[in-house]
Amino acid sequence: AQIGPPGLELQSTKGVVKVMISPPEANQSKKMWMNDLFFKYKLVFWENSSHAELQSKDVFTIDTIEGLAPDSTYCFKVQANVPLEGKQGLFSPISCVKTTPKAVNSLLCATNLSVLALNMKFHLLWDAQGNQDVSYSVQYQFGYTKILHDDDSAKWLSVPRCENITSTCCDFSSIISSGFYYLRVQAREGHNKSCFFREVRVNALQTNEIGPPGVRLDLSDTLLHILISPPGEGAAAEKMRENYDFSYRILYWKNSSNKEEEVKQKEVKQTIATVPDVSPSTLYCVKVQAFSESYNKRSAYSQQECIHTPAGTSLPLIIFGIFMGALLVVLLVATPLVFVLYQAYNKIKYVFFPSCQPPLNIE
C-alpha cells in the first residue's frame, strides 16, 4: 500500500510558524494503518526566493519552526513515513506562509539554552539579554506526550524551585528519570511582557555524563584487593547502576622511582577485583574507569590510589614457623591425652584382668 499525503496547516505568529499535521487517512472510515502513532513526519521547507535552500526536519503532528527570517515567505511540504515497515509516503501539496515581524518582547527571551548533566544531576543553563529586570520560569513536558495527536500546550509543567527566578540556571534533577523530556524557559518582565524560547530535548541517559568511580585498596597475604564504588551518590548512583550496567577498566602498576614499570590493565564487571602475587616492600598504584558498552559512555579515570606492601619473609622460614607451631600445639594437646589414656588402661586391666588367678572353687 502506498502512503498518501498527510494534511498540513500553517499558522504564522510571533516570528515562528506553527505546523499542524493530520494523518494521511484522517478522513477515511476504513484505514490501512489502524494506529496513527505509527506515522513519523518529515517536513521540508524553504524560503520562497531565487537562492532558496531546502531544509528538512522531523516534526510532530503539532510543532513549531523557529529561526526563520521575519517578513519573509516560506513554503512547506510534509511526508508521512512508517519506519517499522520501511515505507515512505507521498508529500503533501506545497503550502506557503509569510512570517510576521520579530516580536518586540523577543529581547526578553533567554538564549543559548544548554544542558549539563553529570551522574544524573541535570542543570539547564541559558543566557540573558540586556539588563532588564527579568524573571524566568522553567517548564517541562514528558517526551511521549509530543507523539500524541493533540495540542500539547496544556501539558507543560513547572519545574520545582525554578519558577520566577532571576538566575540563569535551573536544577531539574528532581523531575528526571529515564526516557526523554522537553524543556523551555519563559522570560517575563512585569505582568504584560513574556517570551518562550525554543524547546530543548533531553534524552536522560544519553545526555547524562558518567563521573569517575571511587577506589579503595586493601591487602591480604600476597593479594591486592581493589574495592570500587560506582559513580554517583545515593539514589542517583543506584539509578545509574540499574540503567548503565557498568563495567570497570583497572590500570595498576608498581610505582618505582629507579625504573619505569609497565602499566597493566584488567576489566571486570564486579566492584571487587584482586591482583595476585604482589611483591613485598613495593608501592602499587591503581586508577579505575567506569564504562557502559550499551550507551557507549566512558568516565574519566579516578584519582590515583596507592598502597605499600609490607616487607616480605622468605618462604622456607614461613613453612618452618608454621611446622614448629603446629608441632607445639600437637605436643601440648597429645601429652595429657596419652597420660589419661594410660592411667585408664591400667585401671581397667587391674579390675578385669588381675595378674593372679583365684582357686577354682572360688571362681
Side-chain angles (χ1 to χ4, degrees), residues 20-213:
M20 293 160 283
I21 302 170
S22 54
E25 301 176 310
N27 299 321
Q28 296 178 203
S29 57
K30 294 183 178 180
K31 297 185 178 184
M32 179 65 68
W33 290 274
M34 301 304 294
N35 193 342
D36 292 338
L37 297 179
F38 290 155
F39 291 117
K40 305 297 180 185
Y41 298 100
K42 179 182 179 181
L43 184 71
V44 176
F45 57 99
W46 63 95
E47 187 177 357
N48 192 9
S49 64
S50 57
H51 56 277
E53 293 183 5
L54 293 180
Q55 301 181 61
S56 64
K57 181 182 179 182
D58 293 329
V59 294
F60 298 105
T61 52
I62 299 176
D63 215 327
T64 55
I65 308 301
E66 301 175 335
L68 303 178
D71 282 325
S72 302
T73 301
Y74 282 85
C75 295
F76 299 80
K77 62 179 181 179
V78 66
Q79 176 191 51
N81 304 316
V82 181
L84 293 176
E85 300 179 14
K87 283 186 172 291
Q88 293 185 335
L90 301 175
F91 276 99
S92 67
I94 296 173
S95 300
C96 297
V97 68
K98 186 174 182 180
T99 57
T100 59
K102 195 172 183 180
V104 175
N105 65 347
S106 63
L107 293 176
L108 298 174
C109 291
T111 60
N112 299 328
L113 267 68
S114 60
V115 175
L116 295 180
L118 179 66
N119 292 342
M120 299 305 286
K121 299 293 184 182
F122 289 82
H123 292 84
L124 180 67
L125 309 175
W126 61 90
D127 293 337
Q129 298 189 77
N131 299 317
Q132 300 103 325
D133 185 16
V134 179
S135 61
Y136 301 97
S137 296
V138 181
Q139 299 176 344
Y140 74 98
Q141 182 179 168
F142 294 106
Y144 69 87
T145 60
K146 281 278 189 180
I147 304 172
L148 304 178
H149 295 166
D150 54 6
D151 191 353
D152 64 356
S153 57
K155 298 175 183 177
W156 289 95
L157 306 171
S158 295
V159 176
R161 296 184 295 278
C162 290
E163 300 175 79
N164 298 321
I165 59 176
T166 56
S167 64
T168 56
C169 175
C170 168
D171 182 348
F172 61 98
S173 309
S174 60
I175 68 164
I176 289 289
S177 182
S178 55
F180 66 98
Y181 302 78
Y182 287 86
L183 290 103
R184 66 182 186 182
V185 177
Q186 182 186 36
R188 182 181 295 276
E189 183 183 31
H191 298 285
N192 300 320
K193 296 181 180 180
S194 66
C195 172
F196 281 106
F197 189 67
R198 66 173 63 101
E199 301 160 13
V200 174
R201 187 180 189 272
V202 178
N203 186 330
L205 297 180
Q206 286 289 0
T207 305
N208 179 59
E209 295 297 332
I210 302 172

Side-chain angles (χ1 to χ4, degrees), residues 227-347:
L227 311 176
I228 304 170
S229 303
E233 298 178 357
E238 183 66 28
K239 193 183 300 183
M240 291 177 66
R241 279 196 298 269
E242 292 172 357
N243 289 290
Y244 286 112
D245 188 24
F246 285 125
S247 298
Y248 302 96
R249 183 173 293 112
I250 301 170
L251 301 181
Y252 62 97
W253 65 95
K254 295 179 183 179
N255 196 348
S256 176
S257 58
N258 55 5
K259 62 177 180 177
E260 188 172 333
E261 295 285 346
E262 178 188 359
V263 176
K264 297 181 180 180
Q265 174 179 307
K266 68 186 305 182
E267 293 183 2
V268 296
K269 293 284 290 182
Q270 302 81 11
T271 55
I272 298 178
T274 57
V275 176
D277 302 325
V278 293
S279 304
S281 300
T282 305
L283 184 65
Y284 280 87
C285 292
V286 176
K287 58 182 180 180
V288 181
Q289 178 191 55
F291 64 94
S292 170
E293 291 290 352
S294 55
Y295 285 91
N296 193 26
K297 284 187 171 293
R298 285 162 174 75
S299 75
Y301 278 97
S302 65
Q303 290 289 330
Q304 176 178 305
E305 294 290 331
C306 298
I307 191 169
H308 202 283
T309 57
T313 306
S314 63
L315 188 60
L317 285 178
I318 294 175
I319 295 174
F320 179 74
I322 293 174
F323 172 74
M324 293 304 295
L327 184 61
L328 181 61
V329 170
V330 169
L331 289 175
L332 292 175
V333 173
T335 302
L337 183 62
V338 169
F339 177 76
V340 169
L341 291 176
Y342 178 74
Q343 293 295 326
Y345 169 76
N346 286 336
K347 293 293 183 183

